[in-house]
Structure formats: structure tokens, C-alpha cells
Amino acid sequence: AVDAGAVRDRIASHFRDVPRRAVEPVYVPAEPAQLGKRESHREFPTELTRLQLCWKTPDITHPDVPALDLLGVILGGGRSSRLYQGLREKKPLAHSISAFCYTPRDPGIFAVEAVCDPGNREELTAAILGEVAAIQKGGVTDAELARAKKQFISAQLRQLTTTRGIASDLGSNFILTGNLDFSREYLGALERATPDDLRNAARAYLHDSALTVVSLNPPAGAESPAGGRAENVAGPVQKFTLANG
């Protein structure tokens, strides 16, 4: 319920003296290639260990990125993923675990992050690398790939159900790639991905020389969270009426 002409004139009055010109491009030098595994483990006032394994990946326009995104879903995208089922449900090494591929306009990262008991950190790290090695050797199944595609594509399409989501998608497409139709083309590339594409991407990027392992751990000598944990006892249900009824 506004007068569009009046609003346009008012906006113009504020920007009338601002010249329209191209913004100077910002030069950001490329990060040197990582030539070996890196690790950093720090202490922090916490009861549990926060662990993350990261590998360097290319930028969002690289043709290998759709396969890496699907790998993230298969490895750690939800409760049906390999890491959650293997290292949270069947062999409870982690309290929570997930994986994702972050791909901005510049080169990004493929990451696995987990929360675990401090004493399980090294075993959990080895188990995560074992799951990655299993994909590098044996690949993924057709069923896993189909489920990952469905999960990823449904999440993308869910964003487009609102005007705000469509605007956000168009804006990010243009800012990151200069191509307003990038999302449509990217979903097409996801649909065409094969098990061999995912195995090849795992071999090309998820190797030790590109790996960085970081963690935040309880201070040395801190009591294990299991040591002082109280038993949960179910009591009777109680009903309280507040002063306002």
C-alpha cells in the first residue's frame, strides 16, 4: 500500500549525487597448495572433544564439485549416512557426526566433524579415515547414490518454494558465478553423477597430503563426563498451575 512513484523519487533524491561506476576488483591471492598432513589439537574448558577433519577442494564451478557434494551426503548427511550408522549407531565412538562439502567462489573444503569422548578421539579419527578409504577402494552403491541425489535435490528445491528463497538463489548464483541459471545447471550435473565419479573424486581430493585434523579437547586431567554423570530416574508426572491460570 505505497505510492511507487513517490518511493522511487525519494530513493533517487538520496542517490542523485552518487556516480554510477564499476567497483575496482579485489585481488585475493590463491592459497598455496598443501603438501602434507596438518594437525592442531588444543585444550578448551569443555567435557567433550570437538573434532574436525578437512580436505581442500576446488571452487564451486569445478566439474568435480557435484560428486564431492554427493559424497558429503553419503558419508555424513543424516542418520542413514555411513559415518552416522557405522560410528554413532553400530560402533558408538561419536556422540554426533556429520560431513559436508563447502564450496564458495574460491576453493573450499570437504569436512567431517564430530563430538566424542576425549579417549575416543584417535580411534574415531582412524575410523573416519577408514570409511573414506573404503569409498576410495570400493566406491558407493547405486542405492546410496540415488538416496543422496534425492536428499540433495529435495533440499535445493525446498528453498525455491518461497519468493525469498528464489531471490536468495538468484542472488547467490550471480554473486558466486555470474550465471543466474547456475543452480539449474548444477542440479543437472548432480543427476548425471555416477558411482565412478564419486570414487574418482574421493581419490583425487580426500588423500592424506591435503588433510588437516583439528580438535578442541578438555584440559589434561579433567574428569571424564561419565565419571560424574547422574542416573536419570523417571518420576511421576506433576501438574502445576501458574498464577495467571
Side-chain angles (χ1 to χ4, degrees), residues 74-241:
I74 291 172
L75 269 174
R79 295 190 174 190
S80 63
S81 64
R82 288 194 180 194
L83 292 176
Y84 191 95
Q85 285 297 312
L87 308 182
R88 166 66 172 77
E89 295 294 314
K90 297 176 182 177
K91 190 176 182 181
L93 292 174
H95 296 287
S96 64
I97 190 165
S98 61
F100 62 90
C101 186
Y102 171 63
T103 49
R105 182 169 58 183
D106 298 313
I109 59 170
F110 186 98
V112 176
E113 55 186 13
V115 176
C116 65
D117 291 333
N120 289 341
R121 189 191 76 199
E122 292 186 4
E123 185 179 358
L124 178 59
T125 300
I128 292 170
L129 294 176
E131 292 288 347
V132 171
I135 288 181
Q136 291 171 330
K137 181 178 180 180
V140 302
T141 66
D142 291 334
E144 285 179 317
L145 181 56
R147 184 169 61 246
K149 288 179 179 180
K150 185 180 296 184
Q151 284 182 247
F152 197 95
I153 293 173
S154 64
Q156 292 293 311
L157 296 181
R158 197 179 305 122
Q159 178 186 357
L160 304 179
T161 59
T162 65
T163 303
R164 179 176 181 175
I166 294 172
S168 176
D169 182 68
L170 290 171
S172 61
N173 283 348
F174 187 76
I175 290 172
L176 294 176
T177 69
N179 177 9
L180 292 174
D181 287 327
F182 179 77
S183 287
R184 187 190 307 272
E185 297 170 5
Y186 191 78
L187 291 180
L190 279 170
E191 282 282 18
R192 295 189 296 271
T194 67
D196 283 343
D197 293 332
L198 271 64
R199 182 176 57 187
N200 292 338
R203 291 174 175 175
Y205 299 101
L206 308 186
H207 49 80
D208 278 352
S209 62
L211 173 62
T212 298
V213 182
V214 295
S215 69
L216 287 176
N217 305 276
E223 183 180 357
S224 169
R229 182 177 299 166
E231 291 294 329
N232 290 324
V233 180
V237 176
Q238 301 181 60
K239 180 178 180 180
F240 299 91
T241 301

Side-chain angles (χ1 to χ4, degrees), residues 19-93:
R20 298 186 63 179
R21 59 182 177 81
V23 178
E24 291 292 329
V26 177
Y27 172 70
V28 179
E31 185 177 351
Q34 183 171 330
L35 301 178
K37 181 180 177 181
R38 299 172 181 172
E39 288 196 56
S40 179
H41 303 287
R42 304 289 180 88
E43 292 186 350
F44 189 77
T46 178
E47 291 184 335
L48 298 172
T49 287
R50 273 75 177 171
L51 173 69
Q52 192 168 73
L53 285 72
C54 300
W55 293 264
K56 292 186 177 182
T57 59
D59 64 87
I60 194 170
T61 61
H62 196 282
D64 289 338
V65 169
L68 290 167
D69 270 334
L70 292 169
L71 271 176
V73 176
I74 291 172
L75 269 174
R79 295 190 174 190
S80 63
S81 64
R82 288 194 180 194
L83 292 176
Y84 191 95
Q85 285 297 312
L87 308 182
R88 166 66 172 77
E89 295 294 314
K90 297 176 182 177
K91 190 176 182 181
L93 292 174

